[in-house]
Amino acid sequence: MKIKNEVMLITYADSLGENLHELSNVLSKHLEKAIGGVHLLPFFPSSGDRGFSPQDYTIVDSAFGSWEDIEELGNKYYLMFDFMINHISRESVYFKDFKKNHLNSKYKDMFIIKDEFFPKGRPTQEEVDLIYKRKDKAPFQEVVFDNGLKEEVWNTFGEDQIDLDVSTELTKEFIKSTIKDMASHGCSLVRLDAFAYAIKKLGTTDFFVEPEIWDLLKFVEVEAEKYGIELLPEIHEHFSIQHKISTHDYFVYDFALPMITLYSLYSGKSNRLAAWLEKSPMKQFTTLDTHDGIGVVDAKDLLSDEELEYTSEKLYEVGANVKKIYSSANYNNLDIYQINSTYFSALGDDDQSYLLARAIQCFAPGIPQVYYVGLLAGRNDIELLEKTKEGRNINRHYYDLAEIDKEIERPVVKKLLNLLSFRNQEDAFSLDGKIEIETPTDSTIIIKRINLDTNSEVILSADLVSKEFEITKNNKLVNL
């Protein structure tokens, strides 16, 4: 199914119900008008990181269901799958064969041996320090092979996730076959997870290395185009990188919007939000929440350092059950640039503030993505957090069917679903249309979305201090 300009739900296969079958029933029962697409977070057999250490892309984890379940979803919704192009599980057949047979493994060329990559006597400490990383230790892991020899291999993220050498023909064939297989099961959009880390090159930060990163993206695009699949490179960094990708006509993420919206609602000031919306591309997916934390680095230079600090500190002050320790090593937080909280709790579990945040997202350029916890205005799950000591689990609650039926009845959730349904139905939100921003006062903002072909117009008028807002369509008030 082609991508539709309709709200995309982000969910795990076992978080809105226990499996894909129950997820499908939840969508049919409660969400058909509010949701047009589904980003199914990794549903493959995995050795860790909640699916992001994939062992085998050709099968569905039997705990979730089958390819038939996913294809059934694909008949109703456009689907996005994750492809961890930078790494694969140490429990994959590829790495296990490499560990067993070492240099004689037929999969050896898929991995990066430190001593083969760097000239003798290198890397120097200066070179190691130059490498862009989001964990304290250097991105290498010692592996003891079955022949007793030891080698260090490239390992950017967790110990389960072994980096791939995307420059070799063997890995390129793996990429081709993975894209083809995803297409055969109804994938409309491939999210290239950890894409910016995929190119390794001597003397660089090994992060978004140009021009090689463009060559890789083009290679994947050529394969994806064979099957009518679009790409969404996933990068958490300075907004200028997203804009650079956008100029190449790819979809991008708006990962800056979450912090800018929080800043605007905390401070009551409209200037930063207005400036960002005016420069945002239309060909993008917007977010307020994802399966990870709330990104701070993504809004750098859109908010000043002082404003970023203010927003972060205010989040801990205003947020419900948000503590700094939850985003620390004590709770296995690997990314110091993210704050762990649900978006609803980041706004103090306040219905009106939350609905305004979602209204801003719906009127922003692009297609809204709504994380499943956010869809149900979920509060921070302290019980799961403490049980697992995993910071990100504060925002990864497991909903059973009875709980979903109950949460759907909350007024804030009903209004949110009505808002999302309105967003899906109105052609004024066309990605080929126009956006106009006004800030009548320091604390108010007016966002107009206009379809130039039909002249239909929808307007969001909001007061960022009182959190009151109204939506009009062709000058008539819209009731949510």
Side-chain angles (χ1 to χ4, degrees):
M1 180 183 294
K2 291 283 188 182
I3 295 172
K4 296 184 288 185
N5 181 20
E6 296 181 6
V7 177
M8 173 177 269
L9 169 68
I10 309 170
T11 186
Y12 293 98
D14 61 345
S15 292
L16 287 176
E18 292 186 355
N19 50 46
L20 289 163
H21 178 70
E22 290 192 357
L23 169 62
S24 181
N25 288 340
V26 169
L27 287 164
S28 297
K29 183 177 181 180
H30 297 298
L31 305 173
E32 276 196 331
K33 292 182 179 180
I35 298 300
V38 180
H39 173 194
L40 276 175
L41 292 164
F43 48 82
F44 314 102
S46 171
S47 58
D49 196 18
R50 193 72 191 272
F52 283 87
S53 296
Q55 294 172 235
D56 188 344
Y57 284 103
T58 66
I59 57 178
V60 176
D61 189 321
S62 60
F64 305 146
S66 65
W67 280 121
E68 287 73 22
D69 294 314
I70 288 174
E71 289 163 11
E72 182 181 335
L73 281 173
N75 290 330
K76 296 181 180 179
Y77 310 94
Y78 69 96
L79 300 180
M80 181 157 74
F81 299 168
D82 285 283
F83 184 17
M84 279 54 79
I85 196 166
N86 177 71
H87 54 260
I88 199 164
S89 170
R90 64 181 298 125
E91 297 300 319
S92 66
V93 64
Y94 312 105
F95 191 75
K96 287 199 291 188
D97 187 274
F98 178 43
K99 188 173 181 294
K100 179 181 178 181
N101 297 303
H102 198 199
L103 301 184
N104 294 320
S105 170
K106 59 183 177 181
Y107 300 121
K108 170 190 173 294
D109 286 350
M110 290 183 71
F111 305 101
I112 306 170
I113 297 174
K114 178 183 174 183
D115 286 345
E116 290 187 359
F117 181 84
F118 291 97
K120 190 174 181 179
R122 294 168 61 185
T124 63
Q125 188 58 51
E126 184 179 6
E127 287 176 310
V128 172
D129 292 342
L130 181 63
I131 296 171
Y132 185 102
K133 42 193 176 290
R134 288 186 172 177
K135 62 179 183 178
D136 294 334
K137 60 183 179 180
F140 309 112
Q141 178 182 164
E142 184 177 84
V143 176
V144 180
F145 292 87
D146 286 9
N147 60 11
L149 294 176
K150 298 178 180 179
E151 299 261 26
E152 287 188 87
V153 299
W154 210 296
N155 174 215
T156 298
F157 297 105
E159 291 186 355
D160 281 330
Q161 298 156 308
I162 310 298
D163 285 35
L164 294 167
D165 187 345
V166 297
S167 69
T168 67
E169 289 304 313
L170 188 61
T171 306
K172 288 178 180 178
E173 287 304 314
F174 166 73
I175 292 171
K176 287 181 180 181
S177 65
T178 301
I179 296 290
K180 181 179 180 180
D181 196 61
M182 288 181 171
S184 71
H185 297 298
C187 178
S188 307
L189 186 68
V190 168
R191 177 183 185 268
L192 297 175
D193 182 74
F195 169 73
Y197 297 87
I199 298 293
K200 279 75 173 177
K201 185 178 180 181
L202 286 170
T204 74
T205 62
D206 300 300
F207 183 88
F208 204 79
V209 177
E210 300 178 275
E212 289 84 356
I213 198 74
W214 299 111
D215 296 335
L216 174 62
L217 192 52
K218 188 64 180 179
F219 169 77
V220 181
E221 180 191 9
V222 168
E223 291 305 308
E225 281 185 338
K226 294 177 182 177
Y227 314 105
I229 288 177
E230 297 267 10
L231 300 179
L232 178 58
E234 182 265 346
I235 297 175
H236 277 287
E237 241 304 327
H238 198 270
F239 75 93
S240 60
I241 294 181
Q242 304 284 9
H243 279 194
K244 187 179 288 188
I245 295 172
S246 178
T247 63
H248 288 252
D249 200 34
Y250 294 103
F251 274 101
V252 295
Y253 272 113
D254 184 354
F255 285 139
L257 188 63
M259 279 296 278
I260 293 174
T261 301
L262 287 179
Y263 168 78
S264 303
L265 293 173
Y266 292 159
S267 69
K269 297 177 181 178
S270 59
N271 58 327
R272 297 303 193 190
L273 177 61
W276 175 236
L277 295 179
E278 286 177 339
K279 69 170 64 172
S280 294
M282 277 290 183
K283 192 173 181 179
Q284 67 174 0
F285 286 90
T286 67
T287 66
L288 292 183
D289 46 2
T290 69
H291 63 285
D292 287 329
I294 298 170
V296 177
V297 68
D298 307 273
K300 184 173 176 55
D301 295 330
L302 297 171
L303 299 176
S304 68
D305 289 347
E306 292 76 18
E307 289 165 339
L308 279 173
E309 179 69 16
Y310 163 83
T311 307
S312 299
E313 292 300 319
K314 201 72 175 174
L315 202 163
Y316 293 117
E317 176 187 328
V318 173
N321 292 313
V322 183
K323 298 179 181 179
K324 290 185 179 181
I325 194 172
Y326 298 156
S327 298
S328 72
N330 290 355
Y331 286 82
N332 194 31
N333 186 54
L334 296 176
D335 190 343
I336 61 174
Y337 301 109
Q338 296 185 347
I339 298 173
N340 293 316
S341 173
T342 74
Y343 212 79
F344 185 62
S345 287
L347 289 167
D349 294 346
D350 181 72
D351 290 4
Q352 188 63 30
S353 295
Y354 187 66
L355 287 171
L356 175 51
R358 289 298 179 188
I360 290 168
Q361 182 187 13
C362 285
F363 274 76
I367 302 174
Q369 285 187 330
V370 181
Y371 184 56
Y372 76 98
V373 176
L375 189 73
L376 297 176
R379 299 174 175 88
N380 281 335
D381 190 337
I382 303 301
E383 182 179 347
L384 182 61
L385 172 80
E386 294 294 356
K387 179 181 178 181
T388 61
K389 295 298 180 182
E390 168 63 59
R392 290 173 294 182
N393 281 346
I394 200 171
N395 189 29
R396 296 180 178 182
H397 182 71
Y398 293 87
Y399 290 91
D400 61 31
L401 297 182
E403 188 177 10
I404 293 167
D405 286 343
K406 180 181 178 182
E407 294 299 300
I408 285 287
E409 294 303 314
R410 290 167 57 203
V412 65
V413 177
K414 284 186 172 181
K415 289 182 179 180
L416 174 56
L417 296 182
N418 288 340
L419 172 65
L420 300 181
S421 299
F422 171 78
R423 167 61 181 76
N424 289 341
Q425 295 163 5
E426 295 303 323
D427 67 358
F429 293 105
S430 168
L431 300 186
D432 294 323
K434 184 179 180 182
I435 185 168
E436 294 180 353
I437 315 293
E438 298 176 29
T439 51
T441 70
D442 289 344
S443 64
T444 57
I445 189 167
I446 297 173
I447 309 172
K448 297 180 182 180
R449 294 292 300 268
I450 305 164
N451 186 313
L452 298 175
D453 294 326
T454 64
N455 290 321
S456 60
E457 178 181 272
V458 291
I459 301 174
L460 170 66
S461 304
D463 186 316
L464 298 172
V465 173
S466 69
K467 312 301 186 286
E468 296 298 320
F469 67 92
E470 67 175 27
I471 295 172
T472 57
K473 174 187 175 183
N474 298 332
N475 297 316
K476 294 182 180 179
L477 189 66
V478 175
N479 294 312
L480 296 180

